[in-house]
Amino acid sequence: MSNVARKVVLTVAENKLVTNFVNKYGLTLGARRFVAGEKLADAINAVKQLNAKGICATLDNLGESCYEAKTATEGTMEAIRILEAIHESGVDSNLSVKLTQLGLDIDEKFCLSNMMEIVGKANQLDNFVRIDMEDSSKVDATIAIFRELKEKYPENVGLALQAYLYRTEKDMDDLSDLKPSYRLMKGAYNEPKEVAFPQKRDVDDNFVKIIKKHLDAGFYTAIASHDENMINISKDYISEKSIPKTQYEFQMLYGICSNLQEQLVKEGHKVRCYVPYGTDWYPYFSRRLAERPANIVFILKNLLKK
Ligand code: FDA
């Protein structure tokens, strides 16, 4: 989607009337396509189905921008429950989290202590936590928290970085002493041209650049995209440089390009699907609409059918 169209959808999505309407009817109108369900058990079932197709997962309890300590503590407890449920059910999945769900907007130290608990649990259960990247105002704090966690639990935490931000390549350089595991993706938020490339072409170029750079550095690279062009360029580079299969994976979102996910598995690549669940699905859902106009048409068609 063009940057202007994306901004329009994200701005409309912030409108209170639209929010109320979609919160009430959204799941039945089509949000369910992108969200595994409202409960953790729904999400574990979705992961079982993906695992049966050779696709592993990363589970995400939907929620962000919380301003009450009680809510952040609940988010922390749910993240720990996810790690326990993965362990008990034996599914192949790790965990993804957003720091604003865990208290980043309340107090950075509080958020760090919540994350220490979560990543400590992942360490105990031999699992892994990926920190999603949110809007550009959160990048400095997210990186600072990632650094502390990574120093304490080097094997159990990774970060997501966005190709649309001018700063990302420098952030990668600054963090290279940590030998980080990154999920690299284009970026999903409504960012001004002062901080992010306005043109899709430049975002794509930077995406390719940082993927190659991270693969060349020998660090684990999760290539998170549904863009076949980006995927093919990555596949060619991986083959040309004989990058081992243990050093990369492809990642896609639940309900998007499922055939492509299965095709990559058949070709022998590791594929991880991001599986979100929970009641607070609206912000996630509006970003998925903003990425692709056809998704809005899909929702409108469902609305007309009702
Ligand atoms: P692009 O937007 O160019 O789309 C290429 C093609 O993919 C489209 O033509 C269409 O076929 C398909 N496609 C893309 N989006 C679609 C959609 N919503 N519905 C249907 N088809 C779609 N962002 C962020 O800022 N922080 C984060 O932490 C994450 N985390 C994350 C995890 C994973 C596993 C993925 C795959 C993505 C993210 N993202 C994210 C979102 C990411 O930044 C980006 O917005 C989307 O992946 C869309 O970009 P693409 O690379 O898919 O390409």
Side-chain angles (χ1 to χ4, degrees):
M1 200 179 210
S2 81
N3 207 31
V4 176
R6 201 162 70 117
K7 274 187 197 306
V8 170
V9 177
L10 287 172
T11 307
V12 172
E14 280 160 20
N15 178 287
K16 200 83 197 130
L17 279 176
V18 176
T19 310
N20 289 343
F21 178 81
V22 180
N23 264 327
K24 202 160 169 201
Y25 300 107
L27 270 193
T28 51
L29 292 181
R32 186 64 205 242
R33 183 187 146 194
F34 305 106
V35 177
E38 296 205 331
K39 299 200 166 64
L40 176 54
D42 301 329
I44 293 285
N45 277 336
V47 173
K48 283 183 183 160
Q49 287 171 27
L50 290 163
N51 286 174
K53 295 176 183 162
I55 299 168
C56 56
T58 185
L59 276 164
D60 169 52
N61 167 34
L62 290 163
E64 49 202 90
S65 310
C66 103
Y67 298 97
E68 285 181 26
K70 184 172 164 280
T71 315
T73 303
E74 280 164 10
T76 305
M77 282 159 55
E78 182 69 3
I80 288 171
R81 272 196 292 274
I82 296 176
L83 289 166
E84 287 169 345
I86 292 170
H87 183 70
E88 281 156 20
S89 62
V91 293
D92 187 349
S93 179
N94 60 33
L95 170 70
S96 285
V97 293
K98 285 190 175 47
L99 295 188
T100 63
Q101 186 185 35
L102 304 168
L104 188 68
D105 291 331
I106 302 168
D107 176 48
E108 269 181 53
K109 284 211 175 82
F110 171 58
C111 181
L112 174 62
S113 122
N114 289 337
M115 279 302 286
M116 281 289 178
E117 268 193 64
I118 295 168
V119 181
K121 178 56 97 175
N123 173 269
Q124 196 191 324
L125 298 177
D126 195 21
N127 208 331
F128 182 85
V129 182
R130 173 82 57 196
I131 305 175
D132 288 351
M133 189 56 82
E134 301 178 66
D135 71 80
S136 57
S137 69
K138 308 292 184 298
V139 179
D140 281 332
T142 303
I143 286 179
I145 288 179
F146 169 68
R147 181 171 272 288
E148 297 223 26
L149 293 164
K150 178 80 178 159
E151 278 164 0
K152 176 134 193 223
Y153 297 109
E155 302 302 323
N156 306 100
V157 64
L159 184 65
L161 290 176
Q162 298 146 327
Y164 64 14
L165 293 185
Y166 303 129
R167 62 175 287 172
T168 290
E169 197 184 350
K170 173 150 190 327
D171 288 335
M172 290 171 73
D173 292 339
D174 294 346
L175 287 167
S176 62
D177 59 302
L178 295 174
K179 302 188 181 9
S181 158
Y182 290 138
R183 173 202 298 146
L184 300 174
M185 66 271 153
K186 292 187 188 178
Y189 294 80
N190 201 356
E191 297 291 356
K193 64 179 185 317
E194 287 71 29
V195 299
F197 294 105
Q199 301 295 332
K200 175 177 160 50
R201 195 184 51 241
D202 295 324
V203 177
D204 287 359
D205 286 349
N206 198 42
F207 190 45
V208 170
K209 185 176 179 190
I210 60 175
I211 285 170
K212 289 183 175 176
K213 184 173 172 135
H214 203 55
L215 287 170
D216 285 343
F219 306 145
Y220 198 81
T221 312
I223 303 156
S225 179
H226 316 90
D227 183 337
E228 294 206 42
N229 194 25
M230 297 296 108
I231 291 170
N232 288 334
I233 292 172
S234 305
K235 282 200 298 193
D236 289 348
Y237 197 70
I238 285 163
S239 150
E240 182 192 322
K241 296 274 172 159
S242 305
I243 307 282
K245 289 203 185 300
T246 49
Q247 201 203 314
Y248 73 92
E249 66 189 38
F250 289 98
Q251 292 194 354
M252 291 188 215
L253 300 174
Y254 182 76
I256 301 181
C257 299
S258 307
N259 291 342
L260 184 54
Q261 299 183 25
E262 289 180 38
Q263 186 194 316
L264 286 168
V265 170
K266 284 193 191 116
E267 290 169 14
H269 302 286
K270 180 162 184 170
V271 177
R272 188 178 300 277
C273 181
Y274 186 104
V275 180
Y277 76 93
T279 49
D280 190 7
W281 46 264
Y282 180 69
Y284 176 87
F285 176 59
S286 53
R287 288 194 292 276
R288 301 298 74 84
L289 294 188
E291 278 154 4
R292 198 156 180 252
N295 291 342
I296 300 171
V297 177
F298 170 74
I299 301 298
L300 290 175
K301 272 191 187 153
N302 282 349
L303 180 61
L304 290 173
K305 273 193 226 148
K306 297 267 155 186

